[in-house]
Amino acid sequence: MVLFNYRIDHSKINGLGVFTNEKIKKGKVVFKASPVLDIELTKEQFESLEDAEKKEFIHYGYLDKKTNTYKLDFDTALRFLNFSEDGNIYQDKNHNETYLIAKRDIEIDEEITFNYLEVMDDAWFDTGFKNN
């Protein structure tokens, strides 16, 4: 669940992105998982999907290294979260579920970015379902 006021807009990084409509202070939780709304699949469940379903799931979801499960977040906003090696949010590894935290103060109208590599591993890239 996204915990700040945002909008989806055109991104200089890639297509559309998530932009904040409010100033976000360093350390603020900007997203937390919803065990009721989010989807979590075991590797066996993921492997049982049709190829088209796997491709869609991988495009919008990810493999969580900590739990070794595939996750797909309910929030549409996260589908437009663009990658940056120096993202302005990060995964709080002190929680078993997903918590994304502001790495630094984030200004109004700034795009929210995330280094996906913090939660994904090489297995995700080896699925054969890369978005080329």
Side-chain angles (χ1 to χ4, degrees):
M1 164 170 267
V2 177
L3 302 174
F4 64 95
N5 186 340
Y6 69 91
R7 71 183 184 284
I8 306 299
D9 209 340
H10 295 281
S11 169
K12 292 179 182 177
I13 297 171
N14 182 40
L16 298 173
V18 179
F19 293 81
T20 181
N21 291 330
E22 65 183 76
K23 185 169 181 163
I24 299 172
K25 292 283 192 186
K26 177 181 178 177
K28 176 182 170 137
V29 176
V30 295
F31 172 86
K32 67 178 183 175
S34 171
V36 175
L37 298 175
D38 298 337
I39 298 170
E40 186 170 349
L41 301 178
T42 64
K43 283 192 171 191
E44 293 78 22
Q45 290 170 314
F46 178 80
E47 290 303 323
S48 73
L49 298 174
E50 300 285 332
D51 283 351
E53 293 170 321
K54 287 179 187 176
K55 184 175 183 178
E56 189 79 7
F57 201 99
I58 288 296
H59 181 76
Y60 292 113
Y62 62 96
L63 175 62
D64 185 323
K65 293 188 284 189
K66 188 173 183 177
T67 63
N68 206 28
T69 58
Y70 289 88
K71 294 186 176 183
L72 179 63
D73 299 313
F74 169 76
D75 290 290
T76 303
L78 292 183
R79 295 179 182 179
F80 298 101
L81 193 60
N82 282 316
F83 174 84
S84 172
E85 286 185 20
D86 188 32
N88 50 22
I89 62 174
Y90 70 96
Q91 166 67 45
D92 183 350
K93 296 182 183 357
N94 293 320
H95 290 87
N96 288 333
E97 54 283 328
T98 303
Y99 271 73
L100 299 177
I101 311 291
K103 269 189 188 176
R104 57 172 175 75
D105 288 347
I106 304 171
E107 299 301 320
I108 294 173
D109 296 327
E110 187 173 344
E111 184 170 5
I112 305 301
T113 58
F114 181 54
N115 183 343
Y116 305 155
L117 300 179
E118 293 176 1
V119 294
M120 297 174 185
D121 61 15
D122 292 338
W124 182 84
F125 295 100
D126 292 336
T127 59
F129 294 101
K130 294 181 205 171
N131 198 19
N132 294 328

